[in-house]
Amino acid sequence: MRIGFFDSGIGGMTVLHQALRFLPNEDYIFYADTLHVPYGEKPKKEVREYIFNAVDFMANQEIKALVIACNTATSIAVDDLRKNYDFPILGIEPAVKPAIQSWAGKQKKVLVFATNLTLREEKFHNLVKSIDHYDIVESVPLPGLVQFAESFEFREEKVIPYLKEELSSFDLKQYGTIVLGCTHFPYFEDSIRDIFPEEVDIISGSIGTAKNLKRILETRNQINEGAGDISFFKSGYKVEDKETLSNYKKLLVMLDRKSSLTTGA
Protein backbone atom coordinates (compact mmCIF):
# COMPACT_ATOMS: atom_id res chain seq x y z
CA MET A 1 0.00 0.00 0.00
CA ARG A 2 1.08 3.56 -0.68
CA ILE A 3 1.38 6.75 1.36
CA GLY A 4 -0.78 9.61 0.16
CA PHE A 5 0.25 13.25 0.06
CA PHE A 6 -2.23 16.02 -0.64
CA ASP A 7 -1.84 19.74 -1.25
CA SER A 8 -3.56 22.49 -3.18
CA GLY A 9 -0.53 22.61 -5.49
CA ILE A 10 3.17 21.85 -5.59
CA GLY A 11 3.88 23.12 -2.07
CA GLY A 12 3.33 19.66 -0.63
CA MET A 13 6.33 18.45 -2.60
CA THR A 14 8.51 20.08 0.08
CA VAL A 15 6.96 17.70 2.65
CA LEU A 16 7.13 14.73 0.30
CA HIS A 17 10.83 15.50 -0.14
CA GLN A 18 11.38 15.08 3.60
CA ALA A 19 9.37 11.85 3.64
CA LEU A 20 11.58 10.44 0.89
CA ARG A 21 14.61 11.17 3.09
CA PHE A 22 13.21 9.35 6.13
CA LEU A 23 11.19 6.70 4.28
CA PRO A 24 12.95 5.88 0.99
CA ASN A 25 11.50 2.38 0.83
CA GLU A 26 7.88 3.38 0.45
CA ASP A 27 5.66 4.08 -2.54
CA TYR A 28 3.81 7.37 -2.73
CA ILE A 29 0.87 9.05 -4.39
CA PHE A 30 0.97 12.84 -4.59
CA TYR A 31 -2.26 14.73 -5.29
CA ALA A 32 -2.16 18.43 -6.22
CA ASP A 33 -5.52 20.18 -6.50
CA THR A 34 -4.23 22.49 -9.20
CA LEU A 35 -7.71 23.38 -10.47
CA HIS A 36 -8.38 25.23 -7.22
CA VAL A 37 -4.98 26.51 -6.09
CA PRO A 38 -4.41 28.74 -4.15
CA TYR A 39 -6.53 27.72 -1.16
CA GLY A 40 -5.25 30.46 1.11
CA GLU A 41 -7.16 33.26 -0.61
CA LYS A 42 -10.53 31.48 -0.99
CA PRO A 43 -13.57 31.28 1.34
CA LYS A 44 -13.25 28.61 4.03
CA LYS A 45 -16.46 26.76 3.08
CA GLU A 46 -15.37 26.47 -0.54
CA VAL A 47 -11.92 25.20 0.40
CA ARG A 48 -13.35 22.58 2.77
CA GLU A 49 -15.38 21.15 -0.11
CA TYR A 50 -12.29 20.90 -2.30
CA ILE A 51 -10.37 19.20 0.49
CA PHE A 52 -13.01 16.56 1.21
CA ASN A 53 -13.43 15.79 -2.50
CA ALA A 54 -9.69 15.29 -2.83
CA VAL A 55 -9.42 13.09 0.25
CA ASP A 56 -12.39 10.99 -0.91
CA PHE A 57 -10.45 10.36 -4.11
CA MET A 58 -7.28 9.51 -2.21
CA ALA A 59 -9.16 7.10 0.07
CA ASN A 60 -9.92 4.97 -2.99
CA GLN A 61 -6.25 4.68 -3.97
CA GLU A 62 -5.30 1.98 -1.42
CA ILE A 63 -3.33 4.28 0.85
CA LYS A 64 -2.17 3.28 4.33
CA ALA A 65 -1.68 6.85 5.56
CA LEU A 66 -2.39 10.36 4.31
CA VAL A 67 -0.34 13.49 4.84
CA ILE A 68 -2.25 16.76 4.44
CA ALA A 69 0.84 18.57 3.16
CA CYS A 70 -0.84 21.95 3.28
CA ASN A 71 -0.95 24.28 6.27
CA THR A 72 -4.21 25.86 5.14
CA ALA A 73 -5.99 22.53 4.63
CA THR A 74 -4.69 21.25 7.96
CA SER A 75 -5.91 24.31 9.83
CA ILE A 76 -9.49 24.12 8.55
CA ALA A 77 -10.17 20.42 8.00
CA VAL A 78 -7.76 17.90 9.56
CA ASP A 79 -9.82 17.26 12.72
CA ASP A 80 -12.98 16.50 10.74
CA LEU A 81 -11.08 14.40 8.21
CA ARG A 82 -9.77 12.16 10.98
CA LYS A 83 -13.35 11.44 12.04
CA ASN A 84 -14.28 10.26 8.53
CA TYR A 85 -11.49 7.84 7.63
CA ASP A 86 -9.89 4.83 9.28
CA PHE A 87 -6.30 5.39 8.06
CA PRO A 88 -3.91 7.75 9.86
CA ILE A 89 -4.15 11.36 8.69
CA LEU A 90 -1.25 13.67 9.47
CA GLY A 91 -1.36 17.41 9.10
CA ILE A 92 1.23 20.15 9.18
CA GLU A 93 1.12 23.36 11.15
CA PRO A 94 3.42 26.36 11.49
CA ALA A 95 6.45 25.39 13.63
CA VAL A 96 5.73 28.07 16.23
CA LYS A 97 6.56 25.86 19.22
CA PRO A 98 10.21 25.13 18.27
CA ALA A 99 10.58 28.77 17.23
CA ILE A 100 9.52 29.95 20.68
CA GLN A 101 11.69 27.32 22.36
CA SER A 102 14.72 28.85 20.66
CA TRP A 103 13.79 32.35 21.86
CA ALA A 104 15.68 32.10 25.16
CA GLY A 105 19.01 32.06 23.38
CA LYS A 106 18.18 34.89 20.99
CA GLN A 107 15.85 37.25 22.86
CA LYS A 108 14.38 38.18 19.49
CA LYS A 109 10.91 37.91 17.97
CA VAL A 110 9.44 35.16 15.82
CA LEU A 111 7.93 36.01 12.43
CA VAL A 112 5.47 33.58 10.84
CA PHE A 113 4.96 33.56 7.08
CA ALA A 114 1.68 31.91 6.01
CA THR A 115 -1.45 32.31 3.87
CA ASN A 116 -4.28 34.64 4.79
CA LEU A 117 -6.63 31.74 5.54
CA THR A 118 -4.15 29.99 7.84
CA LEU A 119 -3.52 33.19 9.79
CA ARG A 120 -7.26 33.86 10.17
CA GLU A 121 -8.05 30.39 11.50
CA GLU A 122 -8.83 29.78 15.16
CA LYS A 123 -6.45 26.80 15.11
CA PHE A 124 -3.47 29.09 14.46
CA HIS A 125 -4.54 31.66 17.04
CA ASN A 126 -5.07 28.96 19.66
CA LEU A 127 -1.63 27.53 18.91
CA VAL A 128 0.06 30.90 19.38
CA LYS A 129 -2.01 31.79 22.45
CA SER A 130 -1.13 28.52 24.18
CA ILE A 131 2.65 28.94 23.91
CA ASP A 132 3.48 32.59 23.18
CA HIS A 133 3.77 33.71 26.80
CA TYR A 134 6.23 36.49 25.95
CA ASP A 135 4.20 38.05 23.11
CA ILE A 136 7.02 37.57 20.61
CA VAL A 137 5.15 36.02 17.66
CA GLU A 138 4.17 38.19 14.72
CA SER A 139 2.85 37.10 11.34
CA VAL A 140 2.49 38.22 7.75
CA PRO A 141 0.63 36.66 4.81
CA LEU A 142 2.70 36.12 1.66
CA PRO A 143 0.25 34.86 -0.99
CA GLY A 144 2.56 36.00 -3.78
CA LEU A 145 5.02 33.22 -2.93
CA VAL A 146 2.32 30.63 -3.62
CA GLN A 147 1.68 32.21 -7.00
CA PHE A 148 5.40 32.27 -7.78
CA ALA A 149 5.77 28.59 -6.89
CA GLU A 150 2.77 27.49 -8.94
CA SER A 151 4.24 29.37 -11.90
CA PHE A 152 7.63 27.71 -11.31
CA GLU A 153 9.09 31.19 -10.82
CA PHE A 154 11.97 30.86 -8.37
CA ARG A 155 14.38 33.51 -9.66
CA GLU A 156 15.64 35.77 -6.90
CA GLU A 157 15.39 38.85 -9.10
CA LYS A 158 11.60 38.28 -9.12
CA VAL A 159 11.10 36.97 -5.60
CA ILE A 160 13.28 39.34 -3.55
CA PRO A 161 11.58 42.59 -4.67
CA TYR A 162 8.22 41.07 -3.68
CA LEU A 163 9.54 40.07 -0.26
CA LYS A 164 11.08 43.48 0.35
CA GLU A 165 7.81 45.20 -0.54
CA GLU A 166 5.69 42.96 1.72
CA LEU A 167 8.15 43.32 4.61
CA SER A 168 8.86 47.03 4.16
CA SER A 169 7.06 47.95 7.40
CA PHE A 170 9.02 45.41 9.50
CA ASP A 171 12.33 45.94 11.26
CA LEU A 172 14.01 42.73 10.12
CA LYS A 173 16.69 42.98 12.80
CA GLN A 174 14.09 42.31 15.49
CA TYR A 175 13.57 38.69 14.46
CA GLY A 176 15.58 35.65 15.44
CA THR A 177 13.44 32.97 13.77
CA ILE A 178 11.33 32.84 10.62
CA VAL A 179 8.61 30.19 10.52
CA LEU A 180 7.59 29.03 7.05
CA GLY A 181 3.89 28.38 7.67
CA CYS A 182 3.04 27.35 4.11
CA THR A 183 4.50 24.34 2.33
CA HIS A 184 5.13 26.45 -0.78
CA PHE A 185 7.56 28.69 1.08
CA PRO A 186 10.64 26.42 1.50
CA TYR A 187 11.28 26.81 -2.23
CA PHE A 188 12.22 30.40 -1.45
CA GLU A 189 14.49 29.80 1.53
CA ASP A 190 17.51 31.26 -0.27
CA SER A 191 15.67 34.47 -1.18
CA ILE A 192 14.35 34.85 2.37
CA ARG A 193 17.84 34.39 3.80
CA ASP A 194 19.15 37.09 1.50
CA ILE A 195 17.01 39.82 3.06
CA PHE A 196 17.34 38.85 6.73
CA PRO A 197 20.40 39.07 9.00
CA GLU A 198 22.72 36.07 8.67
CA GLU A 199 22.02 34.73 12.16
CA VAL A 200 18.26 34.32 11.59
CA ASP A 201 16.97 30.75 11.72
CA ILE A 202 14.41 29.60 9.15
CA ILE A 203 12.30 26.61 10.14
CA SER A 204 9.45 24.55 8.76
CA GLY A 205 7.19 21.81 10.08
CA SER A 206 8.04 19.44 7.22
CA ILE A 207 10.78 17.48 8.98
CA GLY A 208 8.66 16.93 12.07
CA THR A 209 5.77 15.71 9.93
CA ALA A 210 8.01 13.23 8.10
CA LYS A 211 9.43 11.91 11.37
CA ASN A 212 5.94 11.51 12.79
CA LEU A 213 4.84 9.65 9.67
CA LYS A 214 7.71 7.21 10.08
CA ARG A 215 6.90 6.68 13.74
CA ILE A 216 3.24 5.94 12.99
CA LEU A 217 4.06 3.43 10.26
CA GLU A 218 6.55 1.68 12.52
CA THR A 219 3.93 1.46 15.26
CA ARG A 220 1.49 -0.10 12.78
CA ASN A 221 4.12 -2.48 11.35
CA GLN A 222 3.64 -0.95 7.90
CA ILE A 223 7.18 0.21 7.24
CA ASN A 224 9.36 -0.30 4.13
CA GLU A 225 6.67 -1.69 1.83
CA GLY A 226 7.80 -0.10 -1.43
CA ALA A 227 10.64 1.15 -3.60
CA GLY A 228 10.31 4.94 -3.58
CA ASP A 229 7.96 5.08 -6.58
CA ILE A 230 5.75 8.18 -6.87
CA SER A 231 2.48 8.53 -8.79
CA PHE A 232 1.28 12.08 -9.39
CA PHE A 233 -2.31 13.28 -9.71
CA LYS A 234 -3.73 16.71 -10.51
CA SER A 235 -7.31 17.30 -9.30
CA GLY A 236 -8.34 13.67 -9.80
CA TYR A 237 -6.43 12.87 -12.98
CA LYS A 238 -3.21 10.93 -13.14
CA VAL A 239 -0.30 12.92 -14.53
CA GLU A 240 0.99 11.18 -17.64
CA ASP A 241 2.59 13.91 -19.74
CA LYS A 242 6.36 13.84 -19.70
CA GLU A 243 6.81 17.61 -19.28
CA THR A 244 4.82 17.80 -16.03
CA LEU A 245 6.48 14.68 -14.65
CA SER A 246 9.86 16.14 -15.52
CA ASN A 247 9.00 19.40 -13.76
CA TYR A 248 7.94 17.55 -10.61
CA LYS A 249 11.17 15.56 -10.56
CA LYS A 250 13.15 18.77 -11.03
CA LEU A 251 11.45 20.22 -7.96
CA LEU A 252 12.62 17.29 -5.85
CA VAL A 253 16.15 17.69 -7.20
CA MET A 254 16.06 21.42 -6.45
CA LEU A 255 14.99 20.71 -2.89
CA ASP A 256 17.86 18.24 -2.51
CA ARG A 257 20.29 21.00 -3.45
CA LYS A 258 18.94 23.54 -1.01
CA SER A 259 20.30 23.90 2.47
CA SER A 260 18.33 21.84 4.98
CA LEU A 261 15.80 23.61 7.17
CA THR A 262 16.24 23.18 10.89
CA THR A 263 13.45 22.25 13.24
CA GLY A 264 12.98 21.44 16.88
CA ALA A 265 10.48 18.68 16.04
Side-chain angles (χ1 to χ4, degrees):
M1 297 180 73
R2 297 179 289 182
I3 301 171
F5 275 73
F6 161 67
D7 184 30
S8 60
I10 64 169
M13 295 277 281
T14 63
V15 192
L16 174 61
H17 171 253
Q18 296 296 341
L20 289 166
R21 290 178 56 212
F22 289 100
L23 294 163
N25 298 317
E26 300 288 345
D27 292 332
Y28 298 89
I29 175 172
F30 182 85
Y31 184 111
D33 191 15
T34 52
L35 284 180
H36 305 116
V37 68
Y39 281 177
E41 307 307 304
K42 290 182 170 63
K44 178 178 176 179
K45 183 178 180 180
E46 180 181 337
V47 173
R48 281 179 60 88
E49 182 176 349
Y50 297 148
I51 294 167
F52 274 85
N53 288 340
V55 177
D56 279 343
F57 177 88
M58 296 286 280
N60 291 317
Q61 303 302 310
E62 296 186 349
I63 58 174
K64 58 185 178 181
L66 176 64
V67 177
I68 307 298
C70 173
N71 294 83
T72 300
T74 296
S75 67
I76 67 175
V78 72
D79 292 336
D80 290 333
L81 288 170
R82 287 171 177 155
K83 297 174 184 176
N84 285 19
Y85 301 95
D86 58 5
F87 47 79
I89 298 179
L90 292 80
I92 185 168
E93 63 182 14
V96 177
K97 184 176 180 179
I100 290 179
Q101 288 173 337
S102 70
W103 172 80
K106 295 186 176 67
Q107 298 290 306
K108 289 191 174 184
K109 293 182 179 180
V110 172
L111 186 58
V112 180
F113 295 161
T115 65
N116 280 300
L117 189 49
T118 294
L119 295 178
R120 288 198 304 266
E121 273 303 293
E122 184 178 354
K123 189 177 183 70
F124 174 76
H125 289 284
N126 287 342
L127 170 66
V128 173
K129 184 178 179 180
S130 67
I131 56 180
D132 184 18
H133 305 305
Y134 303 101
D135 194 25
I136 59 171
V137 177
E138 297 180 359
S139 61
V140 59
L142 293 175
L145 292 186
V146 178
Q147 297 171 4
F148 280 137
E150 291 300 323
S151 301
F152 289 81
E153 177 57 83
F154 304 110
R155 292 175 296 171
E156 291 191 351
E157 58 265 34
K158 294 288 187 178
V159 176
I160 289 179
Y162 167 76
L163 289 172
K164 287 183 175 180
E165 174 65 24
E166 295 300 310
L167 297 170
S168 59
S169 62
F170 292 81
D171 179 0
L172 304 188
K173 295 179 182 179
Q174 291 185 359
Y175 303 97
T177 305
I178 306 300
V179 176
L180 303 185
C182 173
T183 56
H184 286 80
F185 294 176
Y187 291 118
F188 306 102
E189 178 191 356
D190 293 342
S191 294
I192 294 168
R193 287 193 184 281
D194 279 348
I195 67 171
F196 278 89
E198 185 177 351
E199 65 273 15
V200 168
D201 288 332
I202 301 177
I203 65 174
S204 162
S206 299
I207 295 176
T209 298
K211 287 182 177 179
N212 194 28
L213 173 63
K214 182 179 181 180
R215 180 188 60 79
I216 289 172
L217 294 179
E218 288 174 337
T219 301
R220 296 167 65 91
N221 294 317
Q222 291 181 309
I223 201 79
N224 298 331
E225 297 181 339
D229 294 331
I230 310 171
S231 298
F232 295 98
F233 286 77
K234 293 171 67 173
S235 298
Y237 296 92
K238 188 172 184 179
V239 176
E240 304 278 9
D241 67 282
K242 293 181 179 179
E243 182 179 358
T244 301
L245 290 173
S246 176
N247 285 337
Y248 283 173
K249 291 176 182 178
K250 287 178 181 177
L251 288 176
L252 292 173
V253 171
M254 181 179 75
L255 290 168
D256 273 333
R257 292 174 178 170
K258 286 184 176 294
S259 58
S260 297
L261 293 173
T262 60
T263 182

